[in-house]
Amino acid sequence: MILAVAVAGFRERRRRPAYAVVLLAAVGLGYLAVPAAGSRWTIVSLGGYRGVYDSAYTGTVCALAGALWLCVGGFYVVRTALAQDRATGVRELLAVSRMRSASYLAGTFLSNLLVLGSMAGALAVTAGLLQLARGESYAVSPVALLTPFVLFTLPVLAITAALAVFWETVPGLRSGFGNVAWFAVAVVGMIAAQSPTAPLGGLGTGPVAASLRDAMAARGLSSTEAAIGFMYLDEPPRTFGWSGLPVTADLVADRALLVLVAVVVAVLPALWFGRSSPVRSSGGPVRSAPADAGYADAAPIPYPRGAVRANRTFARLVAGEARSLLAGVSRWWWAVAAGLCAVTLAVPTPTVTALLLASWGWPVLVWSRLGLQGRDTGVDALLGAYPAGRARLLAEWVAGVAFTAALGAAALVRLGIAGDLGGVAAGAAAAAFVPAMALALGLVSGAPRLFQALYLTLWWCVVNGIAGLDYLGAVAGGPSPLVVAATAACLVATAYGAATARARRR
Amino acid sequence: MLELLEVTKDYPNRPHAVDAVTMRLEAGVLGLLGPNGAGKSSLMRIAATVTRPTRGRVLFEGTDVVARPDVLRRTLGYLPQDFGVHPHLTAREFLSYLAAAKGLSRRSARERVPQLLELVNLTGAAKRPLGGYSGGMLRRVGIAQALLADPRVLIVDEPTAGLDPQERVRFRTLLSDLASDRVVVLSTHIVSDLETITDDVAVLAGGRLLHRGTLDRMLSGVAGQVWELSADPADVPRLQAGFRVTRLVRTPSGVRVRILASAPPDRRAEPAVPDLEDAYLGLVSAGVRS
């Protein structure tokens, strides 16, 4: 029964377009993990050294990169399994079956793990191909290549799959807020899991780093640092030979225990999770329909003839898009946004840009609706027969720009008053860029999570001072506002292309 | 006014979902009948410019609306079988947004939205979020949006699904009124829905157009082929295996069986007056066999 739920869930999700995007992302991650010999980018820092690209080293760095990034990003891929079952009515069918909640949750956990595991599989295949492509060693050892994936990636992905189930069973976490909460939890968790003293081997960095250091020491080299992330080196790293991590019984036991913990985390919510109760499973009380006046009982009304068309309706379209974008946003959300604006007006000028960054991190869940509202609500079934589809798409973007600009207005006014016209231009370009990114990613992937994950990563990079990715002028030396605005234009064009392609597929 | 010429739709997993259908539509109601999977919805979506045909043309007053869909969309009312709404918007806000999307002037939208809400008797609920509406109320919002542009072509797919019997009667009356000077295409698999509203019927099965014409012509196709007999319940499986049984009614003395056959199926069988359901089932079963 558990296996049936798992396989059905996996089949359903692997047939979605987003799954192909996810697999491509896994391949891209492998490409980043094994850069060309002359590259200065690395995701494993060993004091300016790296291992020769043989099966052991290539497999290990790809496995560690997978454990890190598939954990952070993969969560967003699998976190709607229970919500999907509810939306499609599958959960109601299961609720009247003999299946217990624990079995259902275990099956969903396994389904999540299959999705994440297939991403790890794509990454492993990429690792093998990149080993050959880089040409430093042509001897492919499947055991050396795959063992790190089994020992490091899969247990971490099991924890991710379990937490995705857990998140969906906790009322406060199953909403969009849960996506943001996960990003924060994952960032902190990943830093802690890289510590040599992390419980059950953490991410796996500790034992791997120790083994790599031993290999370096044997060759008279030394390194005090060992970290994974995405780092830029002053010079391309030099190489040394490494035969791989010795697999000990303790290590295997630790990783098996991690998988066991994952199973417990996934099944634990059976204590409070109700499969059939709409009140418990929707996160709020079910509203009853308003009293129906009774269409048939009413006196017949003559049909009103005559409708006048206008040439200019764009402003009303923008207003309508803005209304549907913002309808349902809670009061406490607006209170925080208003608070950020108020603080921005009060702080000293040098702090204004930092507050602009905060103001434009807050609406990520609202932006992520762009491009998806019509599809998610089913309104697209009506709009498909309405004229001016291009104008509607443009209106949706303009509504997003107006919303973004309104949230950043306090900061932009302050920068303008201070004479920082460059800052104003950068802010204006960012106000165009962020909704364009949301619209394009929403239409391309068909889900809000790709934007949520990528935008938060981009925003986090800017918070950490990476100038090359600074889209709002917060860090000196970032791209010019013209480049950001041009990127926004390209993203709007991409959104239009994706919408057109979708319409043609109907 | 609206012409479908050799329209074909192939889906990757379902080739010939619509197979070379040609139809010319003038003012009046055309009832589109067919079993599930017959291609009715695909054909409606093509006529409504939502789906592009794989082959063939759709002309509206001579304009190819596959190439220039907005020509029809400006004056089209379309109610699909399944649709959604923005749950946090009120009916008034939602219809106002759709009126702008349809290209109505601000003034016209301000007039028509309350008028149409009154027409579908939702004035009292107009300021409530749509997320709290019942299925029947949402269906009526769908009907109101289809009428926003005072359409010259109205395409409605299973419009009475979710409406109670009285609401169905009222909606059929509205469609009859509208059909006096505009094209109305109504798709349904409830045969009785059509009898009271139109004489012009098209029957689709397996993507092909099996019949286009009057109800009388459809009925004449099964004249002398409908039989009824009283049978023992134990006899029913044999009759079902050997003949096209269109109806079974339990009676105190056994089962009244209605059969479609070119010759009397049994010595006890008596000829019966054909109805639209017999004619429809006769057409579809013949179409499926061929």
Side-chain angles (χ1 to χ4, degrees):
Chain A
M1 214 177 253
I2 292 173
L3 202 61
V5 171
V7 172
F10 175 63
R11 281 182 178 150
E12 211 283 317
R13 283 187 277 181
R14 85 179 156 84
R15 284 170 189 158
R16 289 187 211 155
Y19 183 71
V21 176
V22 162
L23 284 189
L24 277 176
V27 172
L29 180 59
Y31 191 80
L32 286 176
V34 188
S39 173
R40 294 180 182 190
W41 287 102
T42 183
I43 64 161
V44 176
S45 170
L46 290 165
Y49 289 91
R50 68 163 172 83
V52 172
Y53 287 149
D54 54 13
S55 293
Y57 185 78
T58 309
T60 301
V61 289
C62 284
L64 290 179
L68 179 68
W69 293 112
L70 295 185
C71 165
V72 179
F75 173 87
Y76 294 101
V77 177
V78 296
R79 72 149 289 173
T80 56
L82 299 182
Q84 280 290 331
D85 276 358
R86 184 167 188 273
T88 54
V90 168
R91 207 143 111 194
E92 274 187 84
L93 298 178
L94 293 177
V96 295
S97 72
R98 294 175 61 198
M99 182 180 286
R100 292 175 178 279
S101 286
S103 304
Y104 175 61
L105 293 175
T108 306
F109 158 70
L110 208 53
S111 160
N112 287 351
L113 188 56
L114 283 171
V115 173
L116 295 173
S118 65
M119 292 164 70
L123 186 58
V125 171
T126 308
L129 293 174
L130 280 168
Q131 182 201 331
L132 297 173
R134 297 302 181 219
E136 293 181 8
S137 165
Y138 291 106
V140 176
S141 163
V143 173
L145 189 77
L146 297 178
T147 301
F149 284 93
V150 175
L151 283 177
F152 302 129
T153 315
L154 286 181
V156 175
L157 294 185
I159 291 285
T160 308
L163 286 172
V165 173
F166 185 86
W167 241 241
E168 284 201 81
T169 59
V170 177
L173 295 176
R174 70 166 72 98
S175 63
F177 169 73
N179 291 346
V180 179
W182 172 255
F183 188 79
V185 167
V187 167
V188 173
M190 288 300 109
I191 292 168
Q194 289 189 56
S195 158
T197 56
L200 305 177
L203 213 58
T205 325
V208 169
S211 173
L212 285 166
R213 275 199 209 98
D214 289 348
M216 288 172 74
R219 285 159 182 78
L221 309 170
S222 70
S223 170
T224 52
E225 59 168 295
I228 60 171
F230 194 53
M231 292 153 279
Y232 186 77
L233 305 173
D234 294 333
E235 291 178 10
R238 284 159 287 172
T239 61
F240 64 94
W242 180 59
S243 58
L245 181 73
V247 179
T248 62
D250 282 351
L251 180 63
V252 173
D254 277 353
R255 305 313 278 177
L257 200 54
L258 201 57
V259 174
L260 193 63
V261 169
V263 173
V264 171
V265 169
V267 177
L268 188 69
L271 293 174
W272 64 84
F273 176 73
R275 264 189 294 141
S276 58
S277 164
V279 175
R280 290 173 71 186
S281 55
S282 68
V286 174
R287 283 177 299 173
S288 57
D292 188 349
Y295 177 42
D297 295 339
I301 306 288
Y303 171 72
R305 289 172 191 271
V308 180
R309 263 163 271 283
N311 291 327
R312 296 194 191 109
T313 58
F314 189 72
R316 282 160 53 220
L317 271 180
V318 172
E321 293 293 350
R323 192 177 283 143
S324 51
L325 178 69
L326 301 176
V329 174
S330 67
R331 284 180 191 158
W332 68 265
W333 188 97
W334 284 115
V336 172
L340 282 168
C341 284
V343 173
T344 305
L345 290 171
V347 294
T349 307
T351 321
V352 165
T353 311
L355 276 159
L356 179 63
L357 193 55
S359 295
W360 282 351
W362 181 237
V364 63
L365 298 178
V366 180
W367 283 319
S368 65
R369 297 179 188 174
L370 286 167
L372 296 167
Q373 293 187 94
R375 202 197 67 156
D376 290 350
T377 56
V379 176
D380 276 355
L382 300 174
L383 291 174
Y386 275 61
R390 204 177 307 176
R392 283 201 307 277
L393 187 77
L394 202 59
E396 191 172 4
W397 174 62
V398 171
V401 173
F403 164 67
T404 311
L407 289 177
L412 296 179
V413 167
R414 288 288 309 273
L415 291 173
I417 291 170
D420 184 359
L421 296 183
V424 174
F433 166 76
V434 181
M437 180 182 174
L439 194 63
L441 293 180
L443 282 165
V444 167
S445 71
R449 297 180 300 281
L450 182 62
F451 169 76
Q452 290 169 358
L454 286 184
Y455 180 73
L456 283 174
T457 306
L458 181 67
W459 182 82
W460 184 248
C461 288
V462 178
V463 169
N464 282 283
I466 298 177
L469 296 175
D470 179 16
Y471 57 94
L472 48 54
V475 185
S480 87
L482 280 176
V483 171
V484 176
T487 309
C490 290
L491 287 167
V492 172
T494 305
Y496 176 69
T500 307
R502 208 172 70 182
R504 284 183 185 277
R505 279 198 302 271
R506 282 184 193 138
Chain B
M1 196 185 272
L2 187 66
E3 291 173 275
L4 288 86
L5 303 172
E6 292 289 314
V7 167
T8 297
K9 182 68 185 178
D10 297 330
Y11 294 107
N13 54 353
R14 198 175 144 214
H16 306 300
V18 178
D19 192 359
V21 171
T22 295
M23 275 199 280
R24 185 179 167 79
L25 309 174
E26 294 293 348
V29 179
L30 170 71
L32 198 56
L33 275 174
N36 290 330
K40 299 189 302 290
S41 290
S42 293
L43 188 65
M44 304 278 270
R45 287 159 58 84
I46 289 169
T49 73
V50 175
T51 298
R52 294 165 68 90
T54 310
R55 286 180 295 282
R57 295 198 300 161
V58 181
L59 303 181
F60 175 61
E61 296 182 333
T63 302
D64 184 346
V65 294
V66 176
R68 297 178 59 204
D70 281 2
V71 172
L72 175 59
R73 286 174 181 174
R74 285 188 202 102
T75 187
L76 171 74
Y78 174 56
L79 177 64
Q81 193 173 345
D82 298 310
F83 67 92
V85 294
H86 289 306
H88 297 291
L89 296 190
T90 66
R92 190 183 295 268
E93 288 168 342
F94 185 57
L95 290 178
S96 299
Y97 163 67
L98 292 178
K102 206 72 184 173
L104 263 63
S105 71
R106 188 185 299 270
R107 188 172 175 178
S108 191
R110 274 191 192 146
E111 283 172 9
R112 276 191 83 70
V113 168
Q115 286 171 344
L116 290 170
L117 283 170
E118 193 179 9
L119 181 77
V120 296
N121 202 32
L122 284 176
T123 303
K127 291 181 180 172
R128 296 176 194 161
L130 292 167
Y133 276 33
S134 68
M137 292 167 83
L138 288 175
R139 202 78 198 153
R140 278 142 57 188
V141 171
I143 292 168
Q145 69 77 31
L147 300 173
L148 271 172
D150 191 17
R152 295 175 61 205
V153 176
L154 182 62
I155 297 175
V156 285
D157 194 357
E158 304 283 359
T160 53
L163 299 184
D164 67 33
Q166 283 178 296
E167 289 174 343
R168 279 164 55 185
V169 170
R170 187 169 154 138
F171 182 65
R172 288 198 305 242
T173 308
L174 173 63
L175 285 188
S176 291
D177 177 27
L178 292 172
S180 61
D181 56 353
R182 64 196 83 203
V183 173
V184 177
V185 184
L186 162 75
S187 151
T188 182
H189 59 263
I190 304 170
V191 180
S192 58
D193 259 7
L194 289 183
E195 282 174 308
T196 53
I197 192 174
T198 184
D199 193 38
D200 186 8
V201 177
V203 180
L204 277 181
R208 285 177 299 145
L209 182 63
L210 300 180
H211 169 89
R212 169 75 195 277
T214 62
L215 291 174
D216 282 346
R217 218 186 98 204
M218 223 173 123
L219 287 170
S220 67
V222 287
Q225 296 180 31
V226 183
W227 310 89
E228 279 195 357
L229 62 107
S230 290
D232 188 88
D235 229 13
V236 171
R238 180 186 65 80
L239 291 167
Q240 283 181 313
F243 301 99
R244 174 83 187 160
V245 174
T246 62
R247 214 168 293 163
L248 287 171
V249 181
R250 286 264 170 191
T251 63
S253 58
V255 180
R256 189 84 185 149
V257 186
R258 193 172 172 98
I259 289 173
L260 205 58
S262 51
D266 190 286
R267 59 184 170 74
R268 296 164 294 171
E270 298 163 357
V273 178
D275 61 21
L276 192 56
E277 210 161 66
D278 299 316
Y280 165 72
L281 290 171
L283 263 172
V284 170
S285 58
V288 169
R289 276 200 300 273
S290 66

